[in-house]
Structure formats: structure tokens, C-alpha cells
Amino acid sequence: MRRIVLMIVVACASAGARGEELAPADLQFLNRITYGATARDIADYRALGREGYLRRELVSHEDDGLPPEAATFIASLPVSRIRPEELAAELRSARRAAFGKSPDEKKEMVKALRQEFRELDFQAFERRTVRALYSPHQLQEMLTWFWFNHFNVFQAKKQVLFLLPDYEENAIRPHVLGKFRDLVRAVLMHPAMLVYLDNAENAKDAINENYARELMELHTLGVDGGYTQADVQALARILTGAGIDLSSRPNGTYGDFYKEGMFAFNPNRHDAGPKVFLGQSFPGSRNFAEIERAVDLLCAHPSTARFISHKLAVYFLADDPPQALVDHMAATFRDTDGDIAATLATLFSSREFSDPAYMGKKFRDPVQYVYSAVRLLYPGQVLRNYRPLAGALAQLGEPVYGHQTPDGYGMKERDWASSDQLEKRFELARGLVGGRARLFVTKDEIDAGVDPARLAQARDAHPVDRAAIEPLVAPLFSPCTKDTLAKAANAEEWAALALSAPEFMYR
Amino acid sequence: MDRRHFIRSGAAGTLALLSARLWAAGPADVKLLVVMLRGAYDGASLLVPYSSAFYYRARPVIAVPRPGSGDPNAAIALDSDWALNAAVRDSLHPLYTNRQALLVPFGGSGDLSRSHFQAQDLMELGQGEGRLDYSSGFLDRLVEALSGKGQFGGVSFTNNLTPVFKGAVPVPNVSLRGNMRNTLPPRATEMIASLYEGTKLSGLAASGMETKRMVSAELMDEMAQSARGAGPARAFESRARAIARLMRDRRSYSVGFADVGGWDTHVNQGSAQGALAANLSGLAGGLAAFAREMGPLWKSTVVVAMSEFGRTFRENGNRGTDHGHGNTLWVLGGGIAGGRIAGRQIAVNEANLFQNRDFQVLNDYRALLAYVFSRMYGLDSAALDRVLPGAKPGGYDFI
């Protein structure tokens, strides 16, 4: 073994780079703003040029760029047509039906409902994954993950279970490239967040600090953003009355009572007394305006500009991004009234973003690893079964909608690079290649006991195409990696090793 | 009650004897497990200050009923001031009465951010004075300090490495989650090792594959049991048993770390029953199972459980508690002189609250750890200062 390694090291010295289709720098650039560049992304990038490509990617798109098969898959999901209000109605009628039933019967009813809601959450994961794998607008999909994670909610907490698909689709996704304030406001007015961080329970004379603290610490100012415990208490009082209304009452304003979707501002639960928040006097009022003012104050705060800019730079550039660049991004953020696309444009066009010193240095988190692997192996080949991917993410420690605490998953190398993580990735790489048949038959077929001939057919229909994969990864591989890969006995072993290579752990 | 006393160090002679007993089995048998309770558990619901009238005023709904109150869920008196939540009747309480458990109220760190995430990192890094240098955590520095003293090594029973084990000495992690079957054939293992040769991840890759190969057979049965329909409380028990088996059977796994979440009880936390009680029961039940599974090695094993901060002394508007400051630390071990409440204490009343809301921190967790490390491993003050810079061993006498 030792001898083999030595021979490889010697061989490396003589190996040189060979001409590839896209310059490594351009490939690395694309790899950082996609879930792994595919031939299609490269073609778009070539046709549009870097500036044109960025211009296209820095605005939100509908699903019309998806391949028809992917669009059909999303359209076929019940979660795509069921509205959360219908689920609330279902919950209400279940409550009525439960009246007079035995405790055991009630338990069964709750179990069945939760199962149905969990299934819808899984469909939300399928929707998210189909877009991440097949949309040409990769940046938008990465940002959907980024902002969901920034405003994390945990699937298993109370009603979050049925509110989550709507939260991701309608509170987060429409704003991922828009104004930061719109994002904060949409989150604040979504029942999923209000339930998750307990603000639905925060009321005059029954104060709960949970959301107030995290809104400053995690969502806007950052922990060193300059707020005090007194500010936490003041914001908690300001946020009183912002809660949920799952009744069938129509949207509208009823005096100071205000309802929009399942969000409700209830003036009778609101602490209308005077407060001092972040040094500003809040004289106290009985309406939602006080909350809007607090959100404005938080979003316009210089600490928020710095905190958000830093976090974006960490996600896209480096675990420890240069301060001058973060300051530059923060200036853009402030000058553009918190425009996320403009802030990102500053980052992507910076000198650092094209500096080779920063390339291939971001350790992929499990989501990036799994999505990149599937995109590399089976580009444009729409999967029929997403359960293995959810299972892989759970194994790698990033379970879908499963982060219990509001900080979201970490985004740095130190959060993910561990011995157990690497070993699991090596096993997964083999599984994604050797067990690929299970990705291309539906989970219903598998549950029904799929015919081996059917599996063999699925496997043969999706061969590992080494010739197509190689130009996308080989330019990033060291000569040593290439030498080891050259010893692979066949295309499948080669692909599993390529996905296990140290270079593929980074983007 | 106006009690203002300190619990002082006891007779040094007894200590030396106990300490010698820890060592008698040989350094390879000395085991340490640190358990992090993430989310700030409510210590006042575990170790109940039942002689404080203020406790019952401040927690009209969630206070744990007084011992002897006739309530079937009444707390179990430990002395004239403190009582244990009945949820740990069959787990922590027997350990306590066997002098194998010790509780330190008014414990914690100097963190004032009340941010879970910053406070957890601060605690795991253990550098003191609010320092957040992510290059090394206190358990990694401990393993480094012990490197010349025989076969000491670290292991993290977490999904990924957390700050406590960051540092100069690479430490493997075993996630104890999901499939423990090893599917990498030897040929793949060799080729992957050569892919990583000379890269900065080579140590992690090699130790990951080696660890998996070794522990998979050992843990397959255990994990298969726990995967089936176990609730969160039972799940920790199964994990704790697996941890004990690995630490017991593997010489190099002498310093372990595990974490348990789900303590952030802002709403409806309950008292002797409910969500928090279930969590306490799961944790204590797991640690009791850990103690049993360690077998003869339990005599030379110490477990420390801690949380990033405590919770507000008064209940909030939703029958829960918000982020606080001081909290109760746990020390368990088959060879400790437990069965008591240790550390500095003051009366539990309104005037003694920190910032008029929380328990004070009178017993720095680093001083407790420094004491434990110095007694367990005989570290001198220079070595101790490298592990926990600036911390002095607290005046304890239980090892």
C-alpha cells in the first residue's frame, strides 16, 4: 500500500495539465454559484458570457426553464395545488369529528393527519430537489436553501408540520433575490415562523422572548450587532399580538384587528404601552404599524447590512471572507435599501471572487454534495424516487427540514469536515452509482416489491457516462487524483472514486 | 431562610485515597464523558430549591411540587433545601443515594449574550474571558496534554465535530445514527486512501474508514434495536449504551463527548410531567444505562453534563422559561464521593437573582473541569493552564 502511494507521488511530478473545454477558473466560478456545473450551465455561460450569465441569474424566474419532465413532476405533486388554508380547514373538521371519540380513536386520527402532513412536507422536498437538480437558474435554488436555512423552522414543531411547504414556497422563495426587508416581513407574517419561535403565544402580560431574540440575533443584527437584553424585552413587547388565526374568518381589517392568510394581528393581545427599542422611542399603539416600524429599524441597521453581507460571503466565497469585501457588500446593501441581488453582484464581480486563491476552498455541505453528485452523474435525467436522497441527507447529518434550532445548518468546513462525514460520503458515492436503479423507479414501485428485471432495465437506461462526466471534474483534479482514478477497473468504479476525491468535497 | 454558606474543601487525605483508586486500574481505564445539553435546560426543574418560598411564587404553574406535599409527583428531598424532580426517580436518584452523582447549582460560564449558539461555542472552546478562537476546544487540548501519559485518545459521539474537539489532535467521530453497516470493500478503501494521500483531509479520511470498519460490527445490533419506534428519550438511552460499549472496549476512546438537544422550553415545559420531565428522564435514564454498561470501568469513569446557560427563574407568560444565566452542573462517576450538592451557594430568593431574572453563576464550569482534570489525570498547573487557560481548580473534594 505504502509502495503504491509512493509510486503515485513520483508519477505526479511528471503529469501535466491537459487542455480542457472550459478554463478551470470559469468552471470553479460556476461551481460556486450552482449545485455543480453541468454541460447545460457551461453552454449558457459560454453563450452569455460571465456578465450576461450573472445578469440572468440575479433575477427570479418561474419554473419555465425546467425540462418538461421535471415541470410535469412538480405539477403532479399534491403539494403544488393544496393551499394551507385547506389544511387548516381539514384540521378544524378533524377536531369536530374527534368530539366524543375515545382517546385511542383520537390518537389514531392525529396520527393519520400528521402522516398526511408529513407526506406533503416530503413533496416540498421533492419540489425543492427537482428545481435544484434541473433548473438552469441554479443561483435562485441555492438561495432558496440559503434563506430557508437563515430563517430556519423545524418540521416537527406543532403546526409547522403543515405550514412548512407554504412557508418555503410563498414566504421564502419569491424574495430570495429581492429586498431583504420583504423577506423579513414575509417571514414575520408567516404562521410557520410565529409557531416555531412561539410568537403566536407572545401576548401582553404573557411575554415570550423567543422570537424577539432570534429576530435580532439570527435574522438581522447578529449576536454582536449592538442590542441589549432590554432591547430583547422591548422587541418582545412590540411583537405581542402578532400571531396566527387558523379560523375561516376572511382576510381583512376589523378595526385594529388585521388578518392576512393565516397571519393575524390582534390588538387585544398587543402591549400598547410605550417602549424604548434600539434607542428609539416607541410611544405605543394598538396597531400593526409598531411592528412594521421595528422591522424597518432592524433592516436599515448597519449591523444588519454587515451581518447579512458576511453570511452571503461565507456561503459563496470563503469561511473567513476578507473584511474589505464584506464592507463593500454592506455598503451596497445599505445603498440599495437591502437589495439582495445587488449585494450579491458586488460579491460576484469582486476581485476576490475571481482570485484563484479562493477557488475550490469551500467545503460542500451535505446538500451541496448530494445535489452535485446527482447532477454530475445523471444530468437532466429526472429522478423518479427522491427518498434515497432524503435518506442520504439524514445520514450525512443534514436531514431535510430537520434542524431543530433556529440557527440553521452550519456553512463552514469546520461544521462538516469530520471523519464520519467523509466515510459516509465514500459509501454514498458507491451507492449513487451502483444502486442507481432505485433512483429511477418510483418509491411506490419499490414499496410494492419491484421486479428485479425492472430494476435492471432502469439501471441500463441510465449508464454512467464517463466521457460526459470527465470534462466537468478532471480540470479540478490534481495529478495524483488523476493517477489513482486511472487505475479504476471500469466506468462505475471510476465515477464512485471521482465523487470520493478530495477535490469533489469542495467547490 | 437566609442561607449564605460555602461548601468547603474536605479532608485532603480521603481525596488522595479516592484519587489513587481511580488510578489504581491504570491510566487506560480512566474514562471521561462530557455531555452537552444543547438549548439550555431548566436546572430549577431538575434540582428544585424547595425551601425557597420565592420559587413557588415565581413559578405558579411549572414549579415542581414540594416533597411531602402529598402530590404523587412531588419532588424527592435530597437535603433541607434541594429536591430532585420525580422524573429521575429511577435513574439519577439511585446514583445520588449511592454517592455516584453530585450536583453543582449556580454553575455555568461568564456568557452574557444569552445566545444559545455563542454560549455553546464559548463553553466548548473553554478559553475563558469570552474568547471565541475556533482553532481549539478544551477536550482537544486535554487529549493533547495527555498524549504523553499513555493511551489517551478522544472520540466524539456526534454527527460532526463540534468546537470542543477542534484542535491540534485529530479526533474521530462516530455519529451512532443511521446505518452502521460497512459497505466499503478493501479495494475501495485502499484507492480512496491513495486519493487522499498528502492532502489536508487524509487523516480524516483514513480514520473515518478505519473507525467505521471497527465499530460497525460492534454496534449493528444496538442500532437496529434503537431504530425501531424508539421515542427521543429511549433513543438517548440506546445511544448512551452504545457509547459505553465503545468507550469500555476501546482503549483509545478515553475522552468522549456527546450532546443531547431539545431543552429550549419557552412554552408549556411542564413540571414533574410534560416535555421537560420526559427529556430529563431520558437523559438521566441514558446516563444510568451508561453507568451500568461501563461495568467494572465505571469505578474509574467520570461523566460531566452541562448546558450553555440556565433559564429565567420566573416562568414566562406561556408556562415556559426564557434564556437565563446560572444552571446546575452534573458530575457522575462510580468512584466519586457524590451524594451531595457541591460548590458555592447562596439563598434562592428574589434579591439574589442575577439581573433580577436568573440564577447567578458562582461556580464557573471551567473551575469544576479544572478540578476534575487535575484529580483524574494528575495534571500539573502548567498543563492545566494549557487545557483551560487561566482557570484554577475549584474547591471541590469529590475525587
Side-chain angles (χ1 to χ4, degrees), chain B residues 57-309:
Chain B
R57 275 205 312 281
R59 296 184 166 215
V61 182
I62 63 168
V64 181
R66 276 194 184 82
S69 60
D71 192 304
N73 293 317
I76 308 158
L78 299 179
D79 62 18
S80 56
D81 295 316
W82 302 100
L84 271 184
N85 193 314
V88 299
R89 181 188 303 282
D90 301 323
S91 47
L92 182 58
H93 188 241
L95 286 169
Y96 188 91
T97 52
N98 289 333
R99 304 189 67 210
Q100 296 183 353
L102 175 116
L103 295 163
V104 183
F106 305 100
S109 80
D111 170 78
L112 288 179
S113 72
R114 293 192 180 85
S115 152
H116 293 299
F117 316 106
Q118 178 156 315
Q120 285 172 23
D121 289 357
L122 197 85
M123 194 164 235
E124 291 187 45
L125 294 167
Q127 295 147 345
E129 292 164 17
R131 281 180 56 211
L132 285 166
D133 172 358
Y134 284 89
S135 64
S136 84
F138 75 82
L139 283 184
D140 201 82
R141 295 193 299 272
L142 175 66
V143 173
E144 192 178 6
L146 294 174
S147 58
K149 287 179 168 271
Q151 296 195 346
F152 289 102
V155 55
S156 188
F157 300 102
T158 52
N159 241 347
N160 280 291
L161 279 193
T162 65
V164 79
F165 263 130
K166 294 292 163 175
V169 182
V171 163
N173 62 319
V174 183
S175 82
L176 300 175
R177 208 181 287 203
N179 188 359
M180 295 306 293
R181 200 167 39 135
N182 181 25
T183 62
L184 283 184
R187 175 180 158 88
T189 304
E190 275 178 34
M191 291 186 87
I192 291 169
S194 88
L195 281 176
Y196 280 80
E197 190 76 22
T199 72
K200 69 170 179 168
L201 295 179
S202 66
L204 291 182
S207 107
M209 292 190 288
E210 193 204 352
T211 304
K212 180 63 174 276
R213 193 164 48 76
M214 289 187 307
V215 305
S216 73
E218 210 162 337
L219 292 181
M220 284 280 285
D221 300 345
E222 185 69 46
M223 292 298 107
Q225 285 166 24
S226 72
R228 290 198 193 100
R234 290 266 311 147
F236 179 67
E237 190 174 319
S238 154
R239 244 173 85 206
R241 268 203 312 271
I243 290 170
R245 283 166 57 172
L246 290 173
M247 289 191 73
R248 186 189 66 196
D249 298 343
R250 305 197 58 73
R251 281 172 76 87
S252 66
Y253 287 181
S254 46
V255 176
F257 177 79
D259 53 10
V260 186
W263 303 100
D264 196 16
T265 50
H266 286 276
V267 172
N268 286 333
Q269 67 178 52
S271 60
Q273 287 184 313
L276 176 60
N279 250 359
L280 286 171
S281 158
L283 171 70
L287 293 178
F290 174 87
R292 282 192 302 275
E293 198 77 25
M294 285 303 283
L297 284 190
W298 177 236
K299 274 275 165 248
S300 52
T301 297
V302 173
V303 177
V304 177
M306 58 195 200
S307 209
E308 67 267 28
F309 43 70

Side-chain angles (χ1 to χ4, degrees), chain A residues 82 124 129 177 248 261 271 345 420 471 476:
Chain A
I82 297 178
T129 303
L177 280 158
S248 55
D271 180 340
D420 189 85
L476 314 175

Side-chain angles (χ1 to χ4, degrees), chain A residues 294-313:
Chain A
V295 168
D296 285 344
L297 209 56
L298 287 170
C299 293
H301 199 288
S303 294
T304 299
R306 280 194 297 270
F307 179 60
I308 298 301
S309 298
H310 183 265
K311 192 162 178 175
L312 285 167

Side-chain angles (χ1 to χ4, degrees), chain A residues 4 102 118 120 125-126 180 190 211 270 315 340 346 436-437 450 496 501 503:
Chain A
I4 293 174
S102 76
R118 238 192 314 276
L120 289 170
F125 164 71
E126 292 181 307
F180 180 69
H190 200 283
Y211 182 43
H270 182 67
Y315 186 62
I340 296 164
T346 299
R436 64 184 180 276
V450 64
E503 292 87 347

